[in-house]
Amino acid sequence: MRERVQRLRTGDLGPLPVILGLVVISVIFQIANGRFLSPQNLSNLSLQIASTGVIALGIVFVLVIGEIDLSAGSVSGITSAAMVVLTINHGWPPVLAIVVAVVFGAAIGLFHGMIFTKLGVPSFVLTLGGLLAWQGGQLLVLGNHGTINIPYDGTIASLANTTLQSWIGYVIAAVYASAAVGRTCLTARWRRERGLAVRPFTGDLVRDGAVTAVILAATVVFSRWHGIPLSLLIFVGLVVAVDVLLRGTTFGRKLFAVGGNAEAARRAGIQVGTVKVIAFTIASSLAAFGGVLAASRLFAVNQASGGSDILLNAIAAAVIGGTSLFGGRGSAYSALLGMLVIGAVSNGMDLLNQTSAVKYVITGAVLVAAVVIDSLARRGRAASGR
């Protein structure tokens, strides 16, 4: 508790502002329209945020190293277009087409990363050019078709339009709780064996208990409609996997080191260029898979796929969730929390029959507030010497 209080005093608020903001947003919209927290609307909300949320998850990797990727939306569009053309026009198996789309996205990210590290082109300019180029490539891939529909009963469509039975949610809650307790005990044992102080379990138990309660509550809510959406489960599964990658692996520590101070990381023996190339590759891979989920939900790919406000929402979600624009700070859960905020605002405004203009204004205001909080936290850490 003392450690957390000290972090708050230095301006490191963590996910607290986002969680409080999400609660306030939910209360306001529920008062304005009683259907906001209904099982049907929450299920629709989960379907709406999954595809863009996966793209935001990839944006986190690039922001952590202090860079930006403006091509994520276009990458999701061209890769999903390639997937549908291969499946519908050329008869490829859907699973193989999905794999090819993700590999195509990885190749694009690798291309961006190599140009960025080898030629020193600023990521803003590089990916802005990529945004235009891959958007043009998408039009070429689609050709004269314009829109290509996906079969309603096919493998691709099932990704975003399948619901699972509620018992799966209870199993996930039980597995998470068991794994959390086991992790806490193993960590304590590891520290004792090495003569290190063992922290009290209270904070970890409270956090893990809260997450378990959220899983159980979500399961109960979704079970009252059609069941647990598969696309939401995929999104949350990717969030957990990325969280393990960022916090529990050597590569994750290198990623944060490069974002915090690239020169210091280089002097410590870290291959800074390689880390940045991998970050761009992962970001584009997740953008491609986000495009697959978007195509699955809409049962089609067209010339507008990956466009509109998808890129802006993905970047805004990562920043609103707590990933720093200055590099060195961020988490996988920031994409989830930020996407929930943006999705809740958009969904609530739709229930209130508000125009897109109002939604853009409110989303922009939330984004600016998140950046202000990040800037203040950065100053607080600098003043405290952290």
Side-chain angles (χ1 to χ4, degrees):
M1 183 61 68
R2 286 194 300 270
E3 180 182 345
R4 295 184 184 276
V5 170
Q6 182 62 30
R7 288 182 178 180
L8 291 176
R9 288 177 177 175
T10 58
D12 187 1
L13 303 179
L16 183 61
V18 188
I19 295 175
L20 292 178
L22 188 58
V23 171
V24 171
I25 290 171
S26 300
V27 171
I28 291 174
F29 282 127
Q30 179 64 18
I31 294 174
N33 190 311
R35 292 180 297 167
F36 181 75
L37 293 180
S38 67
Q40 178 182 2
N41 190 60
L42 291 178
S43 180
N44 292 334
L45 174 61
S46 67
L47 293 174
Q48 292 168 1
I49 69 172
S51 58
T52 308
V54 172
I55 299 175
L57 199 57
I59 295 293
V60 169
F61 282 89
V62 183
L63 292 180
V64 164
I65 62 173
E67 303 299 336
I68 191 67
D69 186 355
L70 299 178
S71 67
S74 297
V75 170
S76 71
I78 189 174
T79 52
S80 61
M83 173 196 66
V84 173
V85 167
L86 290 175
T87 302
I88 304 302
N89 294 357
H90 299 283
W92 284 39
V95 175
L96 180 59
I98 293 173
V99 172
V100 169
V102 176
V103 172
F104 185 18
I108 292 174
L110 179 63
F111 176 68
H112 289 169
M114 293 298 292
I115 293 179
F116 171 68
T117 56
K118 300 300 182 182
L119 301 181
V121 179
S123 60
F124 181 91
V125 177
L126 172 64
T127 56
L128 179 61
L131 182 153
L132 299 173
W134 303 122
Q135 196 171 51
Q138 177 181 342
L139 300 180
L140 292 175
V141 170
L142 292 174
N144 297 325
H145 298 285
T147 299
I148 302 179
N149 296 320
I150 299 173
Y152 287 85
D153 56 350
T155 302
I156 297 175
S158 65
L159 291 175
N161 299 281
T162 299
T163 54
L164 306 175
Q165 297 181 1
S166 58
W167 64 265
I168 294 178
Y170 298 120
V171 170
I172 292 174
V175 170
Y176 174 82
S178 302
V181 172
R183 178 195 60 204
T184 301
C185 294
L186 288 175
T187 301
R189 178 182 176 184
W190 180 87
R191 294 181 69 88
R192 287 194 192 97
E193 291 176 349
R194 287 157 179 78
L196 302 174
V198 179
R199 296 191 308 172
F201 294 166
T202 307
D204 292 335
L205 292 178
V206 170
R207 179 195 61 202
D208 296 333
V211 173
T212 303
V214 170
I215 296 174
L216 291 174
T219 301
V220 172
V221 170
F222 289 132
S223 65
R224 295 177 59 187
W225 186 236
H226 291 306
I228 303 173
L230 176 60
S231 59
L232 177 64
L233 208 57
I234 293 173
F235 176 32
V236 175
L238 287 173
V239 169
V240 174
V242 170
D243 180 64
V244 172
L245 176 63
L246 291 177
R247 297 199 304 158
T249 66
T250 302
F251 172 74
R253 290 189 287 272
K254 290 179 179 179
L255 203 69
F256 286 108
V258 171
N261 190 321
E263 183 59 30
R266 182 179 291 107
R267 293 183 179 183
I270 296 176
Q271 298 294 328
V272 174
T274 301
V275 171
K276 291 183 176 181
V277 169
I278 295 175
F280 275 97
T281 303
I282 295 176
S284 291
S285 301
L286 289 172
F289 190 66
V292 171
L293 289 179
S296 172
R297 178 171 174 264
L298 299 175
F299 299 106
V301 170
N302 55 42
Q303 296 174 342
S305 296
S308 185
D309 58 352
I310 290 177
L311 171 65
L312 297 180
N313 282 341
I315 296 176
V319 176
I320 290 172
T323 299
S324 176
L325 285 170
F326 304 101
R329 289 180 60 248
S331 71
Y333 291 101
S334 65
L336 175 59
L337 292 173
M339 205 61 235
L340 282 173
V341 171
I342 292 178
V345 170
S346 177
N347 182 276
M349 287 296 168
D350 289 338
L351 288 178
L352 298 179
N353 295 320
Q354 296 294 328
T355 63
S356 297
V358 177
K359 290 194 292 185
Y360 288 148
V361 169
I362 294 180
T363 303
V366 173
L367 175 59
V368 171
V371 175
V372 169
I373 292 174
D374 180 36
S375 299
L376 294 176
R378 189 165 176 260
R379 289 183 183 181
R381 288 191 302 274
S384 63
R386 293 186 62 184

